[in-house]
Amino acid sequence: MKARRANSRDKILAAAADVARETGPGSLSLDAVASRAGVSKGGLLYNFPTKAKLMQALVEDYLRAFEQALDAARTAGVSGESPLATYIKLSAEHAAESKPSASWIFSAIAEDPDFLTPIKAFRRQVFERLKGETPDLKALLVCYLAIEGLRSMNLFDSDVLSQDERRLLVSSLLEIAG
């Protein structure tokens, strides 16, 4: 029975991610997610009692996937590449992939002030991990905050950098990372 619930939960999360990509996270409808997942709205609400809980689960799922991608990139990475350089490359790729609207985050925070808790915890965990693997704290701080700036510009659709400037930034960060 638990495997079935996990399967329903995974189907709902996959459907929610698809709907969010197509319509934007701010326009995500529980009816559309239930329909896409092939579950009743009651089944969706059993797994995710509110839209905010569904969005939080999507974010947590994204964070897990990013961490797995980071681990995989490190394992398959270029010999001698620093963990910070791997983080920079992967983060820059992710920041360039999509341009989500921030409106859904604001509505999720309004409904559940703890919405940002897993994001903060994840960022802290990644930062601490990089801090343990990076001998130059100054380089880590500059690179980490620059990457977070790219993420924020992407999230708030306020990217002021051209593609050339973005490439220059990433290559400069990689030089700093060593």
Side-chain angles (χ1 to χ4, degrees):
M1 184 113 143
K2 284 187 180 187
R4 179 190 280 193
R5 276 195 216 135
N7 189 19
S8 282
R9 183 178 169 82
D10 292 344
K11 280 179 19 183
I12 292 167
L13 284 174
D18 289 345
V19 171
R21 270 190 297 276
E22 291 167 12
T23 64
S27 301
L28 187 81
S29 133
L30 294 180
D31 290 324
V33 172
S35 175
R36 177 72 60 95
V39 301
S40 68
K41 189 168 180 182
L44 184 147
L45 292 172
Y46 175 80
N47 285 283
F48 305 101
T50 65
K51 183 176 174 179
K53 292 294 182 193
L54 176 60
M55 297 307 294
Q56 185 173 358
L58 270 177
V59 168
E60 290 169 353
D61 200 47
Y62 170 80
L63 296 176
R64 262 190 306 281
F66 181 83
E67 188 168 28
Q68 289 170 350
L70 188 58
D71 289 340
R74 284 180 176 175
T75 302
V78 178
S79 179
E81 183 175 82
S82 73
L84 181 56
T86 303
Y87 168 78
I88 291 166
K89 286 179 182 177
L90 187 61
S91 296
E93 288 170 14
H94 277 241
E97 280 176 6
S98 62
K99 300 232 180 253
S101 164
S103 63
W104 70 271
I105 289 181
F106 297 133
S107 63
I109 293 169
E111 192 171 324
D112 180 5
D114 292 329
F115 177 78
L116 290 176
T117 301
I119 297 170
K120 290 177 185 176
F122 176 78
R123 286 186 170 164
R124 179 41 102 190
Q125 175 189 344
V126 168
F127 180 75
E128 290 299 328
R129 182 175 170 182
L130 289 169
K131 198 163 111 177
E133 298 169 336
T134 305
D136 184 350
L137 181 58
K138 216 175 355 178
L140 171 61
L141 290 169
V142 168
C143 293
Y144 186 82
L145 291 174
I147 287 297
E148 289 305 314
L150 280 179
R151 286 184 202 280
S152 292
M153 285 192 303
N154 185 42
L155 177 65
F156 294 108
D157 197 20
S158 61
D159 194 345
V160 297
L161 301 179
S162 69
Q163 287 296 333
D164 287 341
E165 291 165 335
R166 184 181 282 266
R167 277 191 289 275
L168 178 60
L169 173 63
V170 171
S171 68
S172 298
L173 293 175
L174 290 170
E175 281 179 36
I176 292 169

